[in-house]
Amino acid sequence: MKLPCGAATLTGLRRHGVMRFGALRYAQAPMGQLRFAPPVPTSPHGEVDATATGPIAPQLPSALSRVLGSCEAPQSEDCLHLSVWTPGTDEPTRPVVVWCHGGAWQSGGVLNWYDGEALARRGNVVVVGVNARLGPLGWLLADGGVANLGLLDLALAFQWVSDHIAAFGGDATRITAMGQSAGGTNVAALLARGASTFQRAILQSAPLGRGFRSADAARSLGRTLLRAAGVATLDQARGLSAQALLHAQQAPEVVAAVRELADGHGLFGPVLDGETLPPLTPQAAGRVDVLAGWNRDEMRAFTAPGTTSGTTSGTTPDEDEAQRRFAAPAHQWAAQATQAGRQAWLYRFDGAPGMPLGACHCAELPFVFGTLNAFASAPMLGSLHADDARRLTDDMQTAWLDFIHSRALPWAPGPQAHVFA
């Protein structure tokens, strides 16, 4: 099927009542002299084959593959694309949800796990999935470089959506940014930048404030990584292969440098440079209505089975750490949004029997997207019963879609979190 979009005619696919348009460029390929440079915008023109799905950013295997299973996809530095799922292009009146994936700023992308077809069909919404630069190509800060390139990619993608989504039946004044884990933190960072290209936010298991690093610390890490890759400057790094840069992430001196910083952050994440990203203040939370939450057993995705034990309070160390990293920041964000006159709903995902890691980090994703088939090999789902899977999917999608449509949710706004179990 064909769709006019500005100066372009897009050829997409239709399946089960939903149209999909993939590999839509929102920026020029960040290669050659554009490697380590801010994204350069572009718009579709001429005849565009949008039947494929664009490659994801270069990356190493996910650290959570033992929990999520594998989801392979072609990789390329030419990754600044997005995909759109829409039930119809008749009138630009449908609300829009733009998905920002997690992955510790090092892995993920527009994958089958996050296929927007089921959500678009059930909710009569337009779903957008975005690829942005990851790892050293998107989040490295070295001397003379620009911070937060991956975040600038996302900002440009949201602008592209705002400019073009009417052609896909979407309403540019009703855009929800939805992010999980690092993706949720990126949504918060966009709000810290004063983003006006979306009006609502869903923050799933977002360690808000965690992962933000000072520019000095980020530059120090950047110098260490470049040395590990065998170069001293960004100009020299432009001549390296993407794989050389990726493997430098695992060099002993880089791992040691992250450990020595002892700031609780991983290798990459948003950098508070004062130019591309100011500090995260209460004003950021006050810019949009929010649905925020966490999973009860977040930390079980990161710890070996059988390594935790109970505490005198009746909770486990994992539960206590989940409260600190995920629940407390969600409560704080919701409180700040409420104080600014916004509506804020909180949730907790507890999972269901048969999930061997409980409601670990990422465990809510198959139910939010309705993509249990894509997660069929995920160890975190274990022997989950089909009836429980259908019930959780129905309950969570109903709530998410109510929020995206600006309808009242079936529980009161915070501070009390609704439990999905």
Side-chain angles (χ1 to χ4, degrees):
M1 60 156 298
K2 294 186 178 295
L3 176 70
C5 180
T9 300
L10 312 179
T11 300
L13 299 172
R14 183 192 296 272
R15 193 180 89 153
H16 301 153
V18 173
M19 291 170 276
R20 180 181 68 79
F21 300 88
L24 300 174
R25 290 183 182 273
Y26 65 86
Q28 295 180 25
M31 303 170 71
Q33 288 303 305
L34 292 183
R35 182 190 268 185
F36 304 123
V40 178
T42 188
S43 294
H45 58 276
E47 295 286 334
V48 176
D49 181 0
T51 59
T53 299
I56 61 177
Q59 57 193 266
L60 298 176
S62 169
L64 292 184
S65 58
R66 72 176 186 86
V67 173
L68 296 168
S70 63
C71 191
E72 301 296 329
Q75 300 181 15
S76 172
E77 283 192 70
D78 185 8
C79 63
L80 301 186
H81 310 92
L82 52 80
S83 293
V84 180
W85 292 264
T86 179
T89 59
D90 44 353
E91 295 289 340
T93 57
R94 294 175 178 84
V96 181
V97 57
V98 180
W99 168 243
C100 302
H101 66 82
W105 297 277
Q106 296 183 57
S107 64
V110 180
L111 299 168
N112 290 340
W113 287 336
Y114 314 129
D115 189 293
E117 179 185 305
L119 206 58
R121 180 172 55 250
R122 173 172 180 169
N124 194 31
V125 298
V126 180
V127 180
V128 182
V130 178
N131 283 326
R133 284 174 283 185
L134 299 170
L137 296 168
W139 295 95
L140 172 75
L141 178 59
D143 297 322
V146 177
N148 302 308
L149 293 174
L151 187 66
L152 298 182
D153 293 344
L154 287 176
L156 184 58
F158 272 93
Q159 187 60 60
W160 191 100
V161 171
S162 181
D163 291 343
H164 296 286
I165 205 63
F168 302 88
D171 183 348
T173 68
R174 302 169 67 199
I175 297 175
T176 296
M178 180 169 77
Q180 184 262 351
S181 194
T185 296
N186 288 339
V187 171
L190 290 173
L191 289 168
R193 284 170 49 87
S196 59
T197 49
F198 57 91
Q199 295 75 39
R200 318 206 94 197
I202 299 175
L203 307 177
Q204 299 171 209
S205 300
L208 302 168
R210 183 179 175 83
F212 287 61
R213 176 169 276 138
S214 73
D216 287 344
R219 286 193 185 92
S220 176
L221 277 177
R223 288 191 289 268
T224 302
L225 189 143
L226 290 181
R227 286 196 299 270
V231 297
T233 67
L234 284 180
D235 279 342
Q236 293 171 345
R238 288 189 177 95
L240 295 175
S241 68
Q243 286 300 311
L245 288 166
L246 291 177
H247 287 300
Q249 297 175 165
Q250 299 177 319
E253 59 267 41
V254 173
V255 175
V258 174
R259 187 182 302 116
E260 288 169 10
L261 278 176
D263 58 5
H265 306 335
L267 177 55
F268 296 115
V271 176
L272 299 174
D273 67 330
E275 296 180 10
T276 61
L277 182 61
L280 190 62
T281 65
Q283 284 70 34
R287 291 195 166 104
V288 296
D289 293 345
V290 66
L291 169 62
W294 67 98
N295 298 350
R296 183 191 59 198
D297 309 303
E298 295 276 5
M299 303 309 298
R300 293 181 65 182
F302 308 104
T303 56
T307 59
T308 63
S309 60
T311 66
T312 56
S313 65
T315 62
T316 68
D318 281 353
E319 289 172 331
D320 292 341
E321 187 67 5
Q323 284 289 320
R324 186 179 72 84
R325 290 196 189 189
F326 301 99
H331 275 283
Q332 182 181 36
W333 185 280
Q336 291 170 344
T338 300
Q339 290 166 7
R342 296 291 183 176
Q343 288 191 303
W345 286 268
L346 290 167
Y347 75 89
R348 190 183 79 202
F349 177 69
D350 283 8
M355 298 172 67
L357 297 175
C360 68
H361 196 62
C362 299
E364 87 286 4
L365 294 171
F367 311 104
V368 169
F369 281 93
T371 51
L372 283 153
N373 287 340
F375 280 95
S377 65
M380 67 181 181
L381 293 182
S383 57
L384 175 70
H385 195 280
D387 288 343
D388 287 325
R390 283 190 291 270
R391 175 179 50 78
L392 284 172
T393 299
D394 183 66
D395 290 349
M396 298 192 79
Q397 286 193 341
T398 296
W400 265 237
L401 290 167
D402 280 345
F403 181 82
I404 293 165
H405 277 275
S406 302
R407 298 188 291 253
L409 271 65
W411 71 90
Q416 185 65 38
H418 176 79
V419 176
F420 289 97

